[in-house]
Amino acid sequence: MSRSKRWKELSPTARATVVAVAAVDAGTRVWALRDLAGRRPEEIHGPKRAWVIGLSVGSTAGIGPAVYLLWGRKRRG
């Protein structure tokens, strides 16, 4: 069984990758939550509260926000 590496044991490339993925996740999460806040419940697929909880909990490497932005919103107009 292998143990996880500590931050200081990671290569510079691995550190940069972790930081980049975290930044993308944070940015898309903020974008999705702001979009969600500006929409009425009937403009969203599924319960709005469930989306808020799902987007607010844990790191998803940008997958959760991408799912909301691509499939969670109904088209306006």
Side-chain angles (χ1 to χ4, degrees):
M1 190 190 254
S2 66
R3 68 173 183 83
S4 297
K5 289 186 176 184
R6 298 193 186 279
W7 181 256
K8 63 184 174 182
E9 296 172 338
L10 294 175
S11 70
T13 302
R15 287 183 191 183
T17 301
V18 170
V19 170
V21 169
V24 167
D25 183 54
T28 56
R29 187 178 308 273
V30 168
W31 176 19
L33 286 168
R34 288 195 61 175
D35 181 86
L36 184 60
R39 290 182 182 264
R40 297 185 317 274
E42 56 271 8
E43 295 179 311
I44 300 166
H45 292 286
K48 189 171 183 175
R49 184 177 205 156
W51 280 110
V52 170
I53 292 168
L55 290 169
S56 299
V57 177
S59 175
T60 60
I63 295 169
V67 169
Y68 166 75
L69 292 167
L70 293 172
W71 295 290
R73 308 179 297 173
K74 294 180 180 175
R75 298 279 180 215
R76 287 185 170 168

